[in-house]
Amino acid sequence: MNNTYGENIKLTIFGQSHSEAIGMTLEGIPAGLDIDETELMRFMERRAPGRNSYSTPRFEADRPEFLSGIKDGKTCGGPISAIIRNTNTRPSDYAKLKNVPRPGHADYTAFVKYGGKADMSGGGQFSGRLTAPMCIAGGICKQLLEAKHISIISRICSIGVVEDEGELSEDISEKAFPTVSDTAGQMMQEAILKAKAEGDSLGGVIECTVLGLGAGIGGPLFGGMESRISSIVFGIPAVKGIEFGAGFGASKLRGSENNDAFYYDNGIVRTRTNNAGGILGGITDGMPLTFRAAFKPTPSIAKEQESIDLETRTGATLKIEGRHDPCIVPRALACVEAAAAIAVYDALAGEANDRK
Amino acid sequence: MNNTYGENIKLTIFGQSHSEAIGMTLEGIPAGLDIDETELMRFMERRAPGRNSYSTPRFEADRPEFLSGIKDGKTCGGPISAIIRNTNTRPSDYAKLKNVPRPGHADYTAFVKYGGKADMSGGGQFSGRLTAPMCIAGGICKQLLEAKHISIISRICSIGVVEDEGELSEDISEKAFPTVSDTAGQMMQEAILKAKAEGDSLGGVIECTVLGLGAGIGGPLFGGMESRISSIVFGIPAVKGIEFGAGFGASKLRGSENNDAFYYDNGIVRTRTNNAGGILGGITDGMPLTFRAAFKPTPSIAKEQESIDLETRTGATLKIEGRHDPCIVPRALACVEAAAAIAVYDALAGEANDRK
Amino acid sequence: MNNTYGENIKLTIFGQSHSEAIGMTLEGIPAGLDIDETELMRFMERRAPGRNSYSTPRFEADRPEFLSGIKDGKTCGGPISAIIRNTNTRPSDYAKLKNVPRPGHADYTAFVKYGGKADMSGGGQFSGRLTAPMCIAGGICKQLLEAKHISIISRICSIGVVEDEGELSEDISEKAFPTVSDTAGQMMQEAILKAKAEGDSLGGVIECTVLGLGAGIGGPLFGGMESRISSIVFGIPAVKGIEFGAGFGASKLRGSENNDAFYYDNGIVRTRTNNAGGILGGITDGMPLTFRAAFKPTPSIAKEQESIDLETRTGATLKIEGRHDPCIVPRALACVEAAAAIAVYDALAGEANDRK
Amino acid sequence: MNNTYGENIKLTIFGQSHSEAIGMTLEGIPAGLDIDETELMRFMERRAPGRNSYSTPRFEADRPEFLSGIKDGKTCGGPISAIIRNTNTRPSDYAKLKNVPRPGHADYTAFVKYGGKADMSGGGQFSGRLTAPMCIAGGICKQLLEAKHISIISRICSIGVVEDEGELSEDISEKAFPTVSDTAGQMMQEAILKAKAEGDSLGGVIECTVLGLGAGIGGPLFGGMESRISSIVFGIPAVKGIEFGAGFGASKLRGSENNDAFYYDNGIVRTRTNNAGGILGGITDGMPLTFRAAFKPTPSIAKEQESIDLETRTGATLKIEGRHDPCIVPRALACVEAAAAIAVYDALAGEANDRK
């Protein structure tokens, strides 16, 4: 199934970019827990489009309407369901693309998979818009984790070739453009605007850290935290790589360098370094769980591109007009946090069983 | 569930490093397909230990005994089950580790998760030995894919800081040490022996490519090929990162550089470049599906390391004796191919439904 | 998970009786199939309340609003989602029941399971109202099966002690009160009105038959058609028993009486009798697939009943006012057909794999 | 998937009647729990063949060999796996049946489903022999439930037309032929021997009760206890019906008769009657959970039967020789208890989450 995630909770995402609505159902959340909708909206606004000069001008309130599962601000034990109406659709922008697949997009692959019968207006099911319901679910899980003193933070590690410097810490959440180094952040924003001006786009890397997660969450083999997190993070369109802790860098170290030495810090087990990204054998070790996700540059660019015409079966050129982010990374921070929150909440829920 | 993988086929792996046996069941394979056990043994020997100077001297036949699902060399429609007896166990090697968790291993995290009640002898469920049943299943899937003209190849991209050069091609499979550049391969083997001599270990990166997979396999969101492949590849112990196509490198490119232009090549849709690694919107585009997996250096090293004593709750030092690979990467090629074969076979099996 | 069903398709039902809306998502339906919404409404009206003197006067249009997955009357490959607004709720009817659980209802068990924190207004998640989304999904599956020349029919076998006579055949679908014998049907309706007049209620048995389903669908063990159908039919509130073919009656026969002899009927394999209900070893044999489901009498009755007060922890009496069907069976025919359609469609979808 | 069951634990059954072995894996059992193998063998012997004059003379030790998951009599947190070798196979008994499907068996339906390529020797995957691994898993779950003071008992309600009398109580477990009335039990055994002497067979009904299960286990819709239990009980070959509490009988009662009145019994909530079989809204109410399963008569009978020849596509007659139980019901008690134990353990395991 493409649209469901989770073992102990079950998230289902539905909708196409230009269907009546997009939405989600989230089953398995216990009854009686507080959900703060104002806080949820704050979270969702971090991914909302149209907020600044480097994101798409398509502006939508994207306020979820809850249909079930929450009553008087508390979960009631049944599936939480919420929808967002698609009000600001401009299908005409997409009409001309019908037979000419956009390079870097799912147009061609969906054409083959669905035999030309998918509703691809606005990118259909493949639109980044489908991350909005993921953020509803993720925002809820994030709140529920915070009530257990588990927090999730993220930063932009790099945009194109511009890299951030320094260590991620909790106060990053206050920043509108979350880099540790404000200078690097400034350079990144300039790089985005420059790419935009040139009809081009940029990618980047997001780092995400889960703090406060105790040791013992996850499992061996396919139940490892890396498997659980990667399978949802790759559900965010444009993610092409993920690494945990030292990740690809660890492959260049020696065992004596990469192994994280254990020690007791006032009776608490910690490690001197955290190359493992807080995960050993698929199970959390109590150190911050860290990962980085690589985003490709937005494939929709104003520059003319080589493509094909699927009807005439000949070559074609393509200029994409519509409204598109020159760089999706700043808006994707919330999506990465949402994905992490869902995966972590799901894994934690399973522990109740494993220890009973 | 930690031990099951698959949506359209269902793989279950069981066993601990020093239990009576390890094994697997694989459900959902149609009846009447040929399984060549000789070919399967050839595949499994690629991951078997004890074959050369840089792998662990623990030598076991690791010949699977099939218990069901195959009769007279053909599948019969029921679950295929196979076991491998654990005959060459030396638990005494591990006795002294009981209270002192090895850095970089699951000893501590399993201790917390299972409340000290896991069978951790030889690494228990977390041992690399559990990749043997994965290779049984993967070897079967690989054969079944080959019957559909889909092949899976892999190479060592890097060992520590030594990198391979050139493009991966099908003849790589003939090589004992599969690098494109034999010079690089030679340097890698020397680096491994040097690390071993120094009581240390190395990691590396494996590249894997699936050839012959048509367009249209996979799906949006959590059903994407990246999600399906990453969740099983991270099931291989020591994997800490994965990237598809240009991966992390794509995050540094501009959209105009990263987008793969479509063209017709004698009526077949192809792309000029393959930065997407053969996957757009989670669905294959008919180009080679490529990914790279980063392996951390083997955590078991002869050098003395800092750790803790979980009983006395004090610091401790540790020297690991046992038998260990100074670099797991050469043996892991088969595991990565196995994981890819299982994920791809599972995704393909689902397409039968999606198109009906 | 309570709210999801299906292996090859995935149905998720959400909502509470008095939440903003109830609804469903249905994933795994191929793209390009026709959905006739008028026909679907006709199907749904068969379960709609308020249509005659023996069903609850709560009248709602119960017209599903489709949010995604269907465009211009055709499926598009993404999840089909639809909601029904809850407009005619009268929560005050339920306020007084808060601490006094209704005998035969889920009030007490939900109180324990959800710690008193469920939204039980109108029966919450346990309301028969949740069968409306099941009928949306089932109505869609029924149409898709009909396009494959598979039809699903049902009749009322009995209401209370009044039993129908004769054999079920396809023309039953035309009847407003679907019994084979109109005389029996008339007596059943009188029995319902009599029970209603006495502030009481009746149960009954529904027989359902799937016609046109070829041999070879289903599987051994937990994949058998009986397992697949029973697990969804018991999802309909008030069902307390199910039997396939001769069912409980078969337990009283000898093998020589119960075995259905095979013969060739113009080259087609058939059986002389159909005690197996069209299922052998969990797999269809090409004969009509038949089952019967037993419904308990509606637990909401006007008569005074003995209960308890969960707050004061003392005995209490209870008179249920609200609006309730004196017999749910006539409206439940559509639900049983819906459940059968979903289970059969799901099983059929799996066969595409098993035979590939 | 045909061979897997469970949501919070995962049971996989594998093997064919005449393959090397049959077996099971059971994932999700916490570490550190005691498993008494002697007690397990006592449980398994209740379903073992060849113990008396009315069961098949095929006698096998059927002693499970545990391969993983249990160490020194305790679970270790990894999947429990166990196999039973198939040593006493007599495939020649089955050779002549190859083209002539046995009425009432899966021969024909498996032939269609697997295109004639299944391993049907001894009934293949469809053999009652596959209930042995179910009894391994069920015997383990039963022990684990007993440690929580939850017990599962069963009795023979009827064999053919002979019915037991009286109420089921815990001391039934001591009986070799578990009926409440010894007179009825004697008559049943005579009926079986008579049918056997006539080359015929009998079916019957088994009643099973789970005692000590608190209120609040299960859930609405597809997560109800009826759905969970029925889907595994129908996995036992020959089961054709199931009913909970008053079941089909409830359909003949009025609401005022069928509703179980609540009262406080020394502070504990109980119901005056138990027509609900301990389940309201799919959730346990703390009363004994009771159900009855109907078994068809053994289809393998010595009498000549009408069938077909699938090769020549003509009519054929058939006399089954082999070794067969004239009535499977006495041996099936253990299977029904095993199925109930697995379903109940799985549901209980889920509650840990729902209440967290």
Side-chain angles (χ1 to χ4, degrees):
Chain A
M1 295 296 131
N2 301 319
N3 294 57
T4 59
Y5 176 85
E7 188 171 275
N8 304 295
I9 57 171
K10 189 73 77 187
L11 168 65
T12 303
I13 287 177
F14 56 87
Q16 302 106 243
S17 186
H18 289 175
S19 62
E20 280 302 310
I22 54 177
M24 66 104 227
T25 67
L26 181 62
E27 192 189 347
I29 305 296
L33 304 180
D34 292 312
I35 304 294
D36 180 337
E37 291 193 28
T38 308
E39 175 61 29
L40 180 64
M41 270 313 295
R42 256 199 302 271
F43 178 70
M44 293 205 58
E45 273 170 14
R46 290 175 52 204
R47 80 156 282 291
R51 308 279 163 194
N52 54 41
S53 57
Y54 47 85
S55 80
T56 166
R58 174 178 172 188
F59 186 102
E60 291 191 14
D62 277 355
R63 175 175 292 274
E65 179 191 3
F66 285 91
L67 301 178
S68 69
I70 297 182
K71 195 177 174 181
D72 303 332
K74 285 183 187 292
T75 58
C76 71
I80 300 171
S81 61
I83 60 171
I84 299 173
R85 297 275 165 184
N86 287 323
T87 51
N88 186 14
T89 58
R90 296 202 333 221
S92 61
D93 281 354
Y94 294 91
K96 72 178 67 166
L97 303 174
K98 204 163 167 270
N99 299 315
V100 181
R102 293 169 296 170
H105 271 285
D107 299 348
Y108 170 64
T109 57
F111 174 84
V112 176
K113 182 178 173 79
Y114 299 105
K117 291 162 183 166
D119 168 21
M120 289 300 286
S121 178
Q125 289 190 78
F126 299 86
S127 167
R129 187 151 174 72
L130 271 292
T131 58
M134 194 192 289
C135 283
I136 302 174
I140 290 170
C141 290
K142 199 163 181 270
Q143 287 187 21
L144 299 178
L145 291 172
E146 276 161 12
K148 295 169 191 270
H149 308 294
I150 297 164
S151 58
I152 298 180
I153 54 176
S154 65
R155 68 147 156 187
I156 300 173
C157 274
S158 61
I159 295 285
V161 294
V162 187
E163 304 205 5
D164 190 22
E165 290 180 343
E167 289 288 307
L168 178 54
S169 63
E170 281 200 70
D171 54 8
I172 196 100
S173 308
E174 307 301 314
K175 296 193 179 185
F177 194 92
T179 50
V180 174
S181 156
D182 292 337
T183 313
Q186 192 57 39
M187 287 171 64
M188 290 177 189
Q189 292 176 70
E190 283 159 16
I192 295 172
L193 291 175
K194 183 159 180 293
K196 183 185 178 187
E198 294 168 11
D200 216 331
S201 65
L202 290 177
V205 173
I206 289 172
E207 184 178 47
C208 181
T209 293
V210 186
L211 298 165
L213 196 53
I217 312 303
L221 289 162
F222 318 121
M225 292 308 296
E226 295 100 334
S227 291
R228 291 167 177 277
I229 291 172
S230 67
S231 63
I232 187 166
V233 168
F234 278 118
I236 303 170
V239 175
K240 295 301 279 188
I242 192 167
E243 59 181 2
F244 293 83
F248 278 85
S251 75
K252 306 213 175 301
L253 299 177
R254 290 192 150 207
S256 58
E257 297 165 315
N258 185 62
N259 284 350
D260 301 307
F262 290 108
Y263 71 103
Y264 277 105
D265 180 8
N266 287 318
I268 291 162
V269 175
R270 297 178 56 82
T271 59
R272 298 277 177 204
T273 47
N274 187 15
N275 291 321
I279 309 171
L280 287 170
I283 302 174
T284 58
D285 66 7
M287 296 294 289
L289 189 163
T290 67
F291 68 91
R292 273 172 302 282
F295 285 75
K296 69 178 185 184
T298 315
S300 289
I301 53 174
K303 282 191 175 169
E304 188 174 274
Q305 295 181 82
E306 177 185 6
S307 184
I308 51 177
D309 187 311
L310 290 165
E311 200 166 58
T312 60
R313 301 181 65 81
T314 55
T317 57
L318 176 77
K319 270 181 75 94
I320 298 172
E321 279 155 28
R323 304 159 298 182
H324 301 284
D325 287 4
C327 182
I328 202 75
V329 174
R331 288 174 55 199
L333 289 157
C335 304
V336 169
E337 292 180 19
I342 295 162
V344 165
Y345 188 90
D346 186 48
L348 257 179
E351 297 306 309
N353 284 345
D354 291 339
R355 308 231 179 122
K356 86 203 146 281
Chain B
M1 295 293 131
N2 302 318
N3 294 58
T4 60
Y5 176 85
E7 186 171 275
N8 303 295
I9 58 173
K10 189 72 78 187
L11 167 65
T12 303
I13 288 178
F14 56 87
Q16 302 106 244
S17 185
H18 289 174
S19 63
E20 278 303 308
I22 54 176
M24 64 104 227
T25 66
L26 181 61
E27 192 190 347
I29 306 296
L33 304 180
D34 292 312
I35 304 295
D36 181 337
E37 291 193 29
T38 308
E39 175 62 29
L40 180 65
M41 271 313 295
R42 256 198 302 272
F43 178 72
M44 294 205 56
E45 274 170 13
R46 290 174 52 203
R47 82 155 280 292
R51 308 280 164 192
N52 55 40
S53 56
Y54 49 83
S55 81
T56 167
R58 176 177 171 188
F59 186 102
E60 291 191 14
D62 277 354
R63 175 175 291 276
E65 180 192 2
F66 284 92
L67 300 179
S68 70
I70 297 180
K71 194 176 176 183
D72 303 332
K74 284 182 189 293
T75 58
C76 72
I80 300 171
S81 61
I83 60 172
I84 299 172
R85 296 275 168 186
N86 288 324
T87 51
N88 186 17
T89 58
R90 295 198 341 216
S92 62
D93 281 353
Y94 295 90
K96 73 178 64 166
L97 302 175
K98 204 163 164 271
N99 300 315
V100 181
R102 294 168 296 170
H105 271 286
D107 299 347
Y108 169 64
T109 56
F111 175 84
V112 177
K113 181 178 173 78
Y114 300 105
K117 291 161 182 168
D119 168 20
M120 289 299 288
S121 179
Q125 290 190 76
F126 299 86
S127 168
R129 187 154 173 70
L130 271 291
T131 58
M134 195 192 290
C135 283
I136 301 174
I140 289 170
C141 289
K142 200 163 180 271
Q143 288 187 20
L144 299 178
L145 290 173
E146 277 160 10
K148 295 171 193 269
H149 309 294
I150 297 165
S151 59
I152 298 179
I153 55 177
S154 66
R155 67 147 155 184
I156 301 174
C157 275
S158 63
I159 296 285
V161 294
V162 187
E163 303 204 8
D164 191 22
E165 290 179 345
E167 290 288 308
L168 177 55
S169 63
E170 281 201 69
D171 56 6
I172 196 101
S173 307
E174 307 299 313
K175 296 193 178 184
F177 194 92
T179 49
V180 174
S181 155
D182 292 336
T183 313
Q186 193 55 41
M187 287 170 64
M188 290 177 189
Q189 291 176 71
E190 284 159 15
I192 295 171
L193 292 175
K194 183 159 180 291
K196 183 185 179 186
E198 294 167 12
D200 216 329
S201 65
L202 290 177
V205 173
I206 288 173
E207 184 178 47
C208 181
T209 295
V210 185
L211 298 165
L213 195 53
I217 313 302
L221 288 164
F222 318 121
M225 293 308 295
E226 296 100 333
S227 291
R228 291 167 175 277
I229 291 172
S230 67
S231 64
I232 187 166
V233 167
F234 278 118
I236 304 170
V239 175
K240 295 301 279 187
I242 193 167
E243 59 181 3
F244 293 82
F248 278 86
S251 76
K252 306 212 176 300
L253 300 177
R254 290 191 150 207
S256 57
E257 296 165 317
N258 185 62
N259 283 351
D260 301 308
F262 290 109
Y263 70 104
Y264 277 107
D265 181 8
N266 287 317
I268 291 161
V269 175
R270 297 178 57 81
T271 59
R272 299 276 177 205
T273 48
N274 188 15
N275 291 321
I279 309 170
L280 287 170
I283 302 175
T284 58
D285 65 8
M287 296 295 289
L289 188 163
T290 66
F291 68 91
R292 275 172 302 282
F295 285 76
K296 70 178 184 184
T298 315
S300 290
I301 54 174
K303 283 193 175 168
E304 188 174 274
Q305 296 180 82
E306 178 185 5
S307 184
I308 51 177
D309 187 310
L310 290 165
E311 200 165 57
T312 59
R313 301 182 65 82
T314 56
T317 58
L318 176 79
K319 271 179 74 94
I320 298 172
E321 281 157 25
R323 304 159 298 183
H324 301 283
D325 287 4
C327 183
I328 203 76
V329 174
R331 288 174 55 200
L333 288 157
C335 305
V336 169
E337 292 180 19
I342 295 162
V344 165
Y345 188 90
D346 184 48
L348 257 179
E351 297 306 311
N353 284 345
D354 290 337
R355 307 234 180 121
K356 88 204 143 282
Chain C
M1 294 295 131
N2 302 319
N3 294 57
T4 60
Y5 176 86
E7 188 170 274
N8 304 295
I9 57 171
K10 189 73 76 186
L11 168 64
T12 303
I13 287 177
F14 55 87
Q16 302 107 243
S17 185
H18 290 173
S19 63
E20 279 302 308
I22 53 177
M24 65 105 226
T25 66
L26 182 61
E27 191 189 348
I29 306 296
L33 304 179
D34 292 313
I35 304 295
D36 180 337
E37 291 193 29
T38 309
E39 175 62 28
L40 180 64
M41 271 313 294
R42 254 199 303 271
F43 178 72
M44 294 206 57
E45 274 171 13
R46 290 174 54 203
R47 80 155 283 291
R51 308 281 163 193
N52 53 42
S53 56
Y54 48 84
S55 81
T56 166
R58 174 177 172 188
F59 186 101
E60 291 191 15
D62 277 355
R63 174 174 293 274
E65 179 192 1
F66 285 92
L67 301 179
S68 69
I70 297 181
K71 194 176 175 182
D72 302 333
K74 284 184 187 292
T75 58
C76 72
I80 300 171
S81 61
I83 60 171
I84 298 173
R85 297 273 166 185
N86 288 323
T87 51
N88 186 15
T89 57
R90 296 201 336 218
S92 61
D93 281 355
Y94 295 91
K96 71 177 67 167
L97 303 174
K98 203 163 166 267
N99 299 314
V100 181
R102 292 168 298 169
H105 271 285
D107 300 346
Y108 170 64
T109 57
F111 174 85
V112 176
K113 182 177 173 78
Y114 300 105
K117 291 163 182 166
D119 168 21
M120 289 300 286
S121 179
Q125 288 191 77
F126 300 85
S127 168
R129 186 151 175 72
L130 272 290
T131 58
M134 195 191 290
C135 284
I136 302 175
I140 290 170
C141 290
K142 199 163 182 268
Q143 288 187 20
L144 299 178
L145 290 172
E146 277 160 11
K148 295 169 192 270
H149 309 293
I150 297 164
S151 58
I152 299 179
I153 55 177
S154 66
R155 68 148 156 186
I156 301 174
C157 274
S158 62
I159 295 285
V161 294
V162 187
E163 303 205 5
D164 190 23
E165 290 180 344
E167 289 287 307
L168 178 55
S169 63
E170 280 199 71
D171 54 8
I172 195 101
S173 308
E174 307 301 313
K175 296 192 178 185
F177 194 92
T179 50
V180 174
S181 155
D182 292 336
T183 314
Q186 192 57 40
M187 287 171 65
M188 290 177 188
Q189 291 176 70
E190 283 159 15
I192 295 171
L193 293 174
K194 184 160 179 291
K196 183 185 179 186
E198 294 168 11
D200 217 330
S201 64
L202 290 178
V205 173
I206 288 172
E207 183 178 48
C208 181
T209 294
V210 186
L211 298 164
L213 196 53
I217 313 302
L221 290 162
F222 319 120
M225 291 309 296
E226 295 100 333
S227 291
R228 291 167 176 277
I229 291 172
S230 68
S231 63
I232 186 166
V233 168
F234 278 118
I236 303 170
V239 175
K240 295 301 279 188
I242 193 168
E243 59 181 2
F244 293 83
F248 278 85
S251 76
K252 305 211 175 303
L253 300 176
R254 289 191 149 207
S256 57
E257 297 165 316
N258 185 62
N259 284 350
D260 302 307
F262 291 108
Y263 71 105
Y264 277 105
D265 180 8
N266 287 318
I268 290 162
V269 175
R270 296 177 58 81
T271 60
R272 299 279 177 202
T273 47
N274 187 15
N275 291 321
I279 309 171
L280 287 170
I283 302 175
T284 58
D285 65 7
M287 296 295 288
L289 188 163
T290 67
F291 67 91
R292 274 173 302 283
F295 284 76
K296 69 178 184 184
T298 315
S300 289
I301 53 174
K303 281 190 176 172
E304 187 174 276
Q305 294 180 83
E306 178 185 6
S307 184
I308 51 176
D309 187 310
L310 291 164
E311 200 165 58
T312 60
R313 301 181 66 82
T314 56
T317 58
L318 176 79
K319 270 180 75 96
I320 299 173
E321 280 156 27
R323 303 158 298 181
H324 302 283
D325 286 6
C327 182
I328 202 74
V329 175
R331 289 175 53 200
L333 289 157
C335 304
V336 169
E337 291 179 20
I342 295 163
V344 165
Y345 188 90
D346 186 49
L348 257 179
E351 297 307 310
N353 284 345
D354 291 339
R355 305 228 180 125
K356 86 204 143 282
Chain D
M1 295 294 131
N2 301 319
N3 294 58
T4 59
Y5 176 85
E7 186 171 273
N8 303 295
I9 57 173
K10 190 72 76 186
L11 167 65
T12 303
I13 287 178
F14 56 87
Q16 301 106 245
S17 186
H18 289 174
S19 62
E20 280 303 308
I22 53 176
M24 65 104 226
T25 66
L26 181 61
E27 192 190 347
I29 305 296
L33 304 180
D34 292 312
I35 304 295
D36 180 336
E37 291 193 29
T38 309
E39 176 61 28
L40 180 65
M41 271 314 294
R42 256 199 302 270
F43 178 71
M44 294 207 54
E45 273 170 13
R46 290 174 53 202
R47 80 154 282 292
R51 308 282 163 191
N52 55 40
S53 56
Y54 47 83
S55 81
T56 166
R58 176 177 171 189
F59 187 102
E60 290 190 14
D62 277 353
R63 175 175 291 277
E65 180 192 0
F66 285 92
L67 301 179
S68 69
I70 297 180
K71 193 175 176 183
D72 304 332
K74 284 182 188 293
T75 58
C76 72
I80 300 171
S81 61
I83 60 172
I84 299 172
R85 296 275 168 187
N86 287 324
T87 51
N88 186 15
T89 59
R90 294 196 346 213
S92 61
D93 281 353
Y94 295 90
K96 73 178 67 168
L97 302 175
K98 203 163 165 272
N99 299 315
V100 181
R102 293 167 298 170
H105 271 285
D107 299 348
Y108 169 64
T109 56
F111 174 84
V112 177
K113 182 178 172 78
Y114 300 106
K117 292 163 181 165
D119 169 21
M120 288 300 287
S121 179
Q125 289 190 75
F126 299 86
S127 168
R129 187 154 173 71
L130 271 292
T131 58
M134 195 192 291
C135 284
I136 301 174
I140 289 170
C141 289
K142 201 163 181 270
Q143 287 187 22
L144 299 178
L145 289 172
E146 277 161 9
K148 295 171 192 269
H149 308 294
I150 297 165
S151 58
I152 298 179
I153 55 177
S154 65
R155 67 149 156 183
I156 301 174
C157 274
S158 62
I159 296 286
V161 295
V162 187
E163 303 203 7
D164 190 22
E165 290 179 345
E167 290 288 308
L168 178 54
S169 63
E170 281 200 70
D171 55 6
I172 196 101
S173 307
E174 306 301 312
K175 296 192 178 185
F177 193 92
T179 49
V180 174
S181 155
D182 292 336
T183 314
Q186 192 56 39
M187 286 170 64
M188 289 177 189
Q189 292 176 70
E190 284 160 15
I192 295 172
L193 292 174
K194 184 160 179 291
K196 183 185 179 186
E198 295 167 10
D200 217 329
S201 64
L202 290 177
V205 173
I206 289 173
E207 184 178 48
C208 182
T209 295
V210 186
L211 297 165
L213 196 52
I217 313 303
L221 289 164
F222 319 121
M225 292 308 296
E226 295 101 332
S227 291
R228 292 167 175 277
I229 291 172
S230 67
S231 64
I232 187 166
V233 167
F234 279 117
I236 304 170
V239 174
K240 296 301 278 188
I242 193 167
E243 58 181 3
F244 293 83
F248 278 86
S251 75
K252 306 209 176 303
L253 300 177
R254 290 190 151 208
S256 57
E257 296 165 317
N258 185 62
N259 283 350
D260 301 307
F262 290 108
Y263 71 103
Y264 277 106
D265 180 9
N266 288 317
I268 291 161
V269 175
R270 296 178 56 82
T271 59
R272 298 278 177 204
T273 47
N274 188 15
N275 291 320
I279 309 171
L280 286 170
I283 303 175
T284 57
D285 65 7
M287 296 296 289
L289 187 163
T290 67
F291 67 91
R292 275 172 302 281
F295 285 76
K296 69 179 184 183
T298 316
S300 289
I301 54 174
K303 282 192 175 169
E304 188 174 275
Q305 295 179 83
E306 177 186 6
S307 184
I308 50 176
D309 187 310
L310 291 165
E311 199 165 59
T312 60
R313 301 182 66 81
T314 56
T317 58
L318 175 80
K319 270 179 74 95
I320 298 171
E321 280 158 23
R323 303 159 299 182
H324 301 283
D325 287 5
C327 183
I328 203 76
V329 174
R331 289 175 55 200
L333 288 157
C335 305
V336 170
E337 291 180 18
I342 295 163
V344 165
Y345 188 89
D346 185 48
L348 257 178
E351 297 306 310
N353 284 344
D354 291 337
R355 306 228 182 126
K356 90 205 141 283

